[in-house]
Amino acid sequence: MIFILVINAGSSSVKFSLFRLPEKERVIQGSIERIGTEAARLSWQSGSALPWSVPCPVAETGEAISRIAALLKDKERGGIGSIEEIKAVGHRVVHGGDEIHGPVRVTDQIKELIRRYSELAPLHNPMNLLGIEACGREFAQAVQTAVFDTAFHATMPEHAFLYGLPWELYQDCGIRKYGFHGTSHCYAARIAARHLGRRPEELRIITCHLGNGSSVTAVEKGLSVDTSMGFTPLEGLIMGTRCGDIDPAVIHYLYSRKGLPMSRIYELLNNEGGLLGLAGIGSSDFRDIEAASLAGNSRAGSALRAFFHRVRKYIGAYSAIMGGLDALVFTGGIGENSSTVREAVCLGFEGGGMADACLPGVSLDLEANRSCSGPCAAVHSPESLYPVLVVPADEEAEIASQVEELLRLRA
Ligand code: ADP
């Protein structure tokens, strides 16, 4: 048997999924959350068995990987015969700048590149690297590979990724749009094309990844041609706690007129803005904001409408740059679970302009939209000019596919 292990080492958690080839069936998945605290727990689920969870007070990423390796090596719980059967580990890495265009084998040069881009992803790249180092020790027999969040967007044309700043800032400091969530957008577009029975090369697709972090991507002929996140994941949509697009002059105003230090402003834009800051109910969770709005909280209502408006605006802009649209796809915790959001984005929302301000040509099957499930669900009605699809995010499956392809190519 051959297995691919996918590792996502984040700032306070390590998630893992083990896939058996050639079916790419997920045999076990789980995570260690709250690393570095007494409350850290290891949770996992294999096959159709009930989920399991045990206390696992690990101090750091390397220790967490050792505990995951011990679980996988466990004959009864791990789902594999021997550790030798894990032929590759696919690591999710956040930032590869403009130098990485697809999945890669981890070499000393790749590690150096991940270290170099830590400056632009200080919460993620160092943790991704710790995960790679630890897996190199624990799964020494396996090929270590990396799939970067930025890679899918490496195809963006210059006119989409340039900011209107002095050219030297781009050339000398790398200040440009990079985009994130690439693995999720790539997966959503691929699954949508497969569902439609069309080749990606024939399609113009807009993928909306709406979760705690949110972004919209224009995918033309299977390639990202623009995306809403930018130099960092702060740009674009209104998110859970991130502000998304604002006039940069606000930063100067807060600094020079309100006397806030830069570190405080950065904290405010990243962690105190978005739905959290607008609604002011002490939660950035979309379900809490929806519940507060339904209960009559007007700020929560304003936050939701601002969120919907921004998503609609990006869809309109991306339809325009691609000269039309062949499919609209929703994914991510909010995009795949909230029928209200899909309705508001596609059909308009109260107070959002014209009463029937649908996205041009779109028509939803309201019942299908409310009850959709499965790996790809169509929620549009027959008269819609283009399909509207719901694809549950599965970045791990996409990483496993890319790693399988990479290793087969190089075999
Ligand atoms: P992350 O960006 O951290 O991966 P997710 O993609 O898991 O996050 O999305 C988390 C968001 O999804 C939360 O704001 C949560 O409230 C929202 N969410 C999950 N289920 C629902 C639902 N049924 N309706 C609306 N929002 C939901």
Side-chain angles (χ1 to χ4, degrees):
M1 296 252 208
I2 292 183
F3 295 86
I4 294 176
L5 175 64
V6 175
I7 292 285
N8 181 353
S11 51
S12 65
S13 71
V14 175
K15 297 186 182 123
F16 65 96
S17 290
L18 187 69
F19 293 86
R20 182 171 49 225
L21 300 188
E23 321 84 352
K24 279 201 261 21
E25 187 191 343
R26 201 184 305 246
V27 291
I28 183 169
Q29 65 181 329
S31 64
I32 299 184
E33 308 272 346
R34 304 171 132 204
I35 292 171
T37 73
E38 280 301 306
R41 289 187 81 82
L42 167 61
S43 312
W44 73 93
Q45 180 173 25
S46 37
S48 55
L50 287 174
W52 204 255
S53 173
V54 292
C56 183
V58 291
E60 43 80 41
T61 305
E63 217 181 314
I65 299 276
S66 301
R67 297 296 289 266
I68 291 167
L71 172 72
L72 297 179
K73 284 174 193 168
D74 185 302
K75 283 272 181 290
E76 270 177 29
R77 300 182 295 181
I80 51 172
S82 123
I83 201 82
E84 305 298 321
E85 294 178 337
I86 299 180
K87 297 295 180 201
V89 183
H91 295 271
R92 178 202 176 199
V93 182
V94 166
H95 216 310
D98 55 0
E99 297 174 51
I100 299 287
H101 295 235
V104 292
R105 284 175 189 250
V106 175
T107 59
D108 287 344
Q109 284 90 335
I110 291 294
K111 286 188 198 168
E112 175 46 35
L113 177 137
I114 297 172
R115 220 168 274 127
R116 197 156 13 99
Y117 282 102
S118 289
E119 200 187 0
L120 300 185
L123 295 181
H124 293 98
N125 272 28
M127 295 302 173
N128 302 153
L129 202 51
L130 286 177
I132 290 172
E133 299 286 7
C135 285
R137 293 191 296 272
E138 295 289 343
F139 307 100
Q141 81 293 342
V143 182
Q144 304 296 321
T145 62
V147 174
F148 291 76
D149 274 15
T150 47
F152 184 57
H153 302 300
T155 50
M156 265 190 295
E158 186 185 80
H159 53 255
F161 71 63
L162 280 179
Y163 290 128
L165 291 168
W167 186 267
E168 293 70 29
L169 290 181
Y170 160 54
Q171 198 171 279
D172 303 337
C173 309
I175 296 180
R176 49 158 281 182
K177 182 187 276 279
Y178 291 104
F180 298 88
H181 286 149
T183 311
S184 176
H185 289 292
C186 176
Y187 176 78
R190 198 164 55 76
I191 296 294
R194 190 189 295 163
H195 172 91
L196 297 171
R198 309 265 306 271
R199 292 186 310 123
E201 295 74 24
E202 302 168 350
L203 295 169
R204 295 159 298 181
I205 301 179
I206 293 179
T207 49
C208 304
H209 177 108
L210 310 178
N212 283 322
S214 297
S215 60
V216 180
T217 295
V219 184
E220 190 174 347
K221 299 181 179 170
L223 306 176
S224 167
V225 292
D226 204 349
T227 190
S228 60
M229 282 179 169
F231 179 60
T232 75
L234 188 54
E235 188 179 342
L237 301 179
I238 290 173
M239 308 182 213
T241 63
R242 290 174 228 156
C243 61
D245 297 335
I246 58 168
D247 181 343
V250 170
I251 295 165
H252 180 258
Y253 178 81
L254 291 174
Y255 179 74
S256 65
R257 297 294 170 93
K258 296 290 168 190
L260 298 187
M262 269 303 164
S263 56
R264 176 77 195 102
I265 296 172
Y266 193 62
E267 172 77 12
L268 196 143
L269 302 179
N270 268 293
N271 300 326
E272 295 172 30
L275 297 169
L276 176 81
L278 283 172
I281 61 164
S283 170
S284 62
D285 191 294
F286 201 82
R287 288 162 291 196
D288 296 339
I289 314 274
E290 274 185 325
S293 171
L294 278 174
N297 182 316
S298 70
R299 268 177 65 179
S302 299
L304 288 180
R305 286 190 292 276
F307 174 85
F308 299 148
H309 176 81
R310 188 76 61 89
V311 178
R312 285 165 62 82
K313 195 160 93 170
Y314 269 100
I315 293 171
Y318 289 170
S319 308
I321 63 164
M322 293 194 288
L325 187 57
D326 300 308
L328 176 63
V329 185
F330 287 93
T331 189
I334 300 170
E336 65 199 51
N337 289 310
S338 174
S339 56
T340 327
V341 168
R342 296 190 296 266
E343 248 178 68
V345 168
C346 291
L347 307 182
F349 52 92
E350 212 181 310
M354 308 275 286
D356 56 352
C358 294
L359 294 175
V362 84
S363 176
L364 288 189
D365 176 334
L366 294 180
E367 186 40 44
N369 185 42
R370 280 180 202 139
S371 60
C372 66
S373 65
C376 184
V379 299
H380 57 285
S381 58
E383 59 271 23
S384 188
L385 277 189
Y386 51 83
V388 181
L389 304 172
V390 179
V391 176
D394 195 344
E395 282 151 299
E396 294 81 16
E398 179 62 29
I399 291 173
S401 294
Q402 293 194 16
V403 169
E404 190 198 12
E405 222 165 276
L406 168 80
L407 297 181
R408 199 188 287 148
L409 279 175
R410 306 260 170 107

